[in-house]
Amino acid sequence: MYVNHFLKKFLKRTAIMARRTKEDAQKTRQVILDTALELFGEHGITKTSLTDIATAAGVTRGAIYWHFKNKNELFINLWDEFCEPLSNLLDASINADEPNPINKLRSLFTTLFEDMATNQAQRQLFFILFSLDNASQDITEICRHTQLKYEEFLTDLENSVKNAVAQGQLAKSLDAKITANLIATTVNGCNLRIIQAQSAADAQKKVQTCKDIIHSLFNMLSQPSAIL
C-alpha cells in the first residue's frame, strides 16, 4: 500500500513537471517568434541572424534550434500561424452548403483589414512579405513557401467564386480564375494602403475605404453584364 501511495505521488509530480516543461517550452517558442518578427521588421530577414534573435530574446541559440531548424523555418512558422485563422474563414466560403459565400468573403477581408490596422505584428509581417527580395539565396525557401501558400489562396478563392456563381451571387459570365486574381490583387493593394497609414486614425480611414472598395467590387461582379 505504501509503495502504491508513493508511486501515485511520483506519477502525479512527474505529470505536473512535464506539463510545466511543456508550458515553458511554448512560452519560449512564442518569445522567439515575437522577437524574430520585430527584428525582421527592423532589419530585414537576410540581415538578422539567429544570434541576433537569441540575444534579443534572452535565450540561447540552442533554444532556437530546439524549436526551429533555421531562420527560414522560423519565418514560415510566423506566416503559417497568421494564415491559419483566415484560412478557416475562406474554407467557409468554399463549402457548397454555405448559402452566402460572398458574405463569408466579406467577413474574411473585413477581419484582415481591421487586424491590419490594429495589430502591429500583422502589419510587420505583411511589410516583411512585401519587402522580400526574391533574388536573395538566403530566403529562397521562404519565397517558395509563401508563393505556394499564395497559389493555394488563389485556388481557394477561385472555388469560392465558383460557389458564389452557383448560388446566384455573382454573374455566370465570369471567368473564375481571372475573377479570383482580380479580388486577390485588390485585397493586396488594400493591405498595402493600410500598412502605409501614417497614424491610427489614418489607418481606420483606410480600412473603411478598403471595405467600400471590396463592397463595390462584389456589387460590380454580381451584375449580369459583368464579364471577366
Side-chain angles (χ1 to χ4, degrees), residues 29-45:
R29 180 180 184 276
Q30 193 58 51
V31 168
I32 293 169
L33 286 170
D34 292 343
T35 304
L37 179 58
E38 185 175 347
L39 293 180
F40 290 156
E42 290 179 2
H43 310 294
I45 298 175

Side-chain angles (χ1 to χ4, degrees), residues 158-217:
E158 182 180 342
N159 290 328
S160 297
V161 169
K162 291 177 180 177
N163 196 22
V165 170
Q167 297 289 350
Q169 292 187 302
L170 294 180
K172 293 182 179 180
S173 55
L174 295 175
D175 181 295
K177 180 170 288 188
I178 294 175
T179 303
N181 276 274
L182 172 62
I183 295 171
T185 301
T186 303
V187 170
N188 285 340
C190 285
N191 285 332
L192 192 55
R193 284 172 63 92
I194 297 170
I195 289 173
Q196 294 172 336
Q198 299 300 308
S199 65
D202 186 32
Q204 288 303 323
K205 288 181 181 179
K206 284 179 165 50
V207 166
Q208 187 55 54
T209 299
C210 291
K211 289 180 184 179
D212 292 341
I213 289 172
I214 293 298
H215 180 73
S216 297
L217 177 61

